[in-house]
Amino acid sequence: MEQAWPSPSTKQKSPLFVSLGMTVLDELHFSSRETLYNVPGGSGLYATLGARLMDSTVGAVILTGKGFPETVMDQIKQWDVTLKVKNLPNSPSTRGFLQHKDESGQRTFRYLTPPLQPHPSDLQNSPLIRSRGFHFLVRPELLQEMADSLLSLRSLVGERRPLIVWEPAPLFCKKDLLEQHLQACKLVDVFSPNHLELESLTADGPCDGDLPFSREDVECRARLFLDAGIGLDKDGLVVVRCGEHGCMTLSRKTGVDWLPAFFDSTSPVVVDTTGAGNVFLGAFTVAFLKTDDAREAAIAGSVAASFAIEQIGLPDFSPASSAKETWNGVDVSTRLAEYRVRLSGSEKD
């Protein structure tokens, strides 16, 4: 059974952004506190959050199965995105087991149920198929299949190629799959691993050394992908998300650019970094579509990620009434302005 929320008539514009990542109900285990259940997460939901932080013209497709809580769906509906829900009553909802090992942020993840992966075919007969940008988190061979399907379905409704942003699946970021990733990068416009995934893909390569995290190391590894070619015309972007070390964008046109994280790793505000990279990419995609500027997009991504790490799960949303909407009691534009002032000051030093 499929449901649209709001109805297509209430959203006249085609979405700027749709993620084909998953929505996952997480079971969170900690070393020093009680277990939490039904915590909404997953790359698709977090990426949608990031896009929504920057613009309301966002679409989302969610596959639900047995046991999907209405409270979670109500929370998502509050965001006022163009939502397509596809219920699979004979399958369990996607559930994950996330173990926080200690206070250092280390964690392990595994699925408790067969994952329900959205596919471009789930967007048929929906305004979501006309989105200007799409986010994927899949292994290389599935990316090929899904990209081909997406482009074919869009051609049927007279739409051209959209912006395609690919976040590689962490479990498949292995050195023996490097060539598959390099080939898949030719199909996308933005390739965005985090720095640990990038290191795993390029292990035993020319960049390896015994040094701890360094910008030079990240740049060296990222250039392997840029030199092989990102996108149909080899003019795409590599965006590496480096957690507390910030982020890096790299392209043939603008070269390399680094931005700091919004919060320092020692900040008491930082509660849980789960999903921050997905949120970053949702915001990055929307801002890049609006500005065609990788630095502006990375600024948006960095600020959006800050809203993901202040709590466990999703931030608290207050819709606009007489004042602007807020997330965790903060207007996004205020935090963007604060971050720009900080960047301006660091450039003058």
Side-chain angles (χ1 to χ4, degrees):
M1 182 177 67
E2 295 184 0
Q3 295 176 312
W5 182 278
S7 66
S9 62
T10 64
K11 291 269 187 178
Q12 297 299 320
K13 294 182 180 179
S14 298
L16 278 171
F17 175 90
V18 169
S19 175
L20 285 164
M22 287 185 280
T23 297
V24 181
L25 300 170
D26 284 328
E27 183 177 306
L28 305 184
H29 292 255
F30 304 88
S31 59
S32 58
R33 57 172 296 173
E34 65 180 12
T35 298
L36 300 178
Y37 298 92
N38 288 332
V39 178
S43 64
L45 185 58
Y46 276 121
T48 300
L49 167 63
R52 178 59 183 84
L53 283 162
M54 295 299 149
D55 198 282
S56 62
T57 315
V58 174
V61 56
I62 297 180
L63 304 188
T64 65
K66 291 178 289 187
F68 196 93
E70 280 298 322
T71 53
V72 173
M73 190 58 66
D74 290 342
Q75 188 175 8
I76 299 168
K77 287 177 179 178
Q78 285 187 336
W79 298 352
D80 191 30
V81 299
T82 301
L83 182 63
K84 183 172 183 181
V85 179
K86 185 174 182 179
N87 182 251
L88 305 171
N90 295 323
S91 301
S93 293
T94 306
R95 294 184 177 275
F97 182 100
L98 187 60
Q99 176 72 59
H100 290 255
K101 292 185 176 181
D102 50 40
E103 300 303 321
S104 69
Q106 290 187 331
R107 52 188 183 262
T108 58
F109 175 84
R110 61 183 172 86
Y111 288 108
L112 294 174
T113 62
L116 303 179
Q117 172 72 61
H119 192 275
S121 60
D122 296 316
L123 308 181
Q124 288 182 286
N125 304 314
S126 163
L128 273 60
I129 194 65
R130 298 181 182 273
S131 175
R132 290 176 55 195
F134 288 87
H135 162 261
F136 294 86
L137 191 156
V138 289
R139 61 187 186 277
E141 63 271 27
L142 186 54
L143 175 73
Q144 170 80 60
E145 174 191 325
M146 294 178 72
D148 289 346
S149 176
L150 176 65
L151 297 179
S152 176
L153 290 170
R154 285 175 64 86
S155 69
L156 294 176
V157 295
E159 292 288 349
R160 295 180 296 178
R161 176 187 168 85
L163 183 78
I164 298 178
V165 175
W166 180 34
E167 187 176 354
L171 293 178
F172 294 85
C173 289
K174 303 174 182 178
K175 62 182 180 180
D176 57 329
L177 297 178
L178 174 60
E179 185 57 35
Q180 291 185 31
H181 282 78
L182 291 173
Q183 291 303 313
C185 279
K186 302 180 188 302
L187 306 174
V188 306
D189 304 287
V190 178
F191 174 59
S192 182
N194 66 35
H195 66 292
L196 299 177
E197 293 158 355
L198 180 66
E199 183 177 356
S200 294
L201 279 167
T202 56
D204 300 330
C207 307
D208 277 357
D210 298 323
L211 297 175
F213 177 88
S214 74
R215 291 184 171 188
E216 292 78 10
D217 179 76
V218 172
E219 292 169 22
C220 177
R221 296 178 190 277
R223 288 189 187 281
L224 297 175
F225 291 87
L226 188 71
D227 292 345
I230 308 291
L232 301 179
D233 299 319
K234 296 186 177 183
D235 60 354
L237 286 162
V238 183
V239 180
V240 185
R241 296 161 286 116
C242 303
E244 69 270 25
H245 305 292
C247 67
M248 184 212 72
T249 58
L250 177 67
S251 71
R252 295 179 189 273
K253 184 167 83 170
T254 59
V256 65
D257 188 25
W258 281 90
L259 290 178
F262 187 89
F263 290 126
D264 184 86
S265 61
T266 60
S267 171
V269 176
V270 178
V271 174
D272 184 10
T273 60
T274 302
N278 313 128
V279 172
F280 175 100
L281 282 179
F284 181 96
T285 305
V286 166
F288 190 72
L289 285 166
K290 288 182 172 184
T291 66
D292 194 31
D293 186 310
R295 183 175 177 83
E296 286 299 310
I299 287 172
S302 299
V303 169
S306 73
F307 287 93
I309 64 180
E310 296 176 302
Q311 69 289 308
I312 294 172
L314 304 175
D316 180 56
F317 174 60
S318 296
S321 52
S322 58
K324 293 182 179 180
E325 69 180 33
T326 62
W327 301 81
N328 291 341
V330 179
D331 169 26
V332 175
S333 63
T334 298
R335 192 164 284 186
L336 277 167
E338 177 185 342
Y339 188 60
R340 291 183 189 280
V341 169
R342 191 188 314 167
L343 292 177
S344 177
S346 64
E347 289 169 354
K348 292 177 182 178
D349 293 340

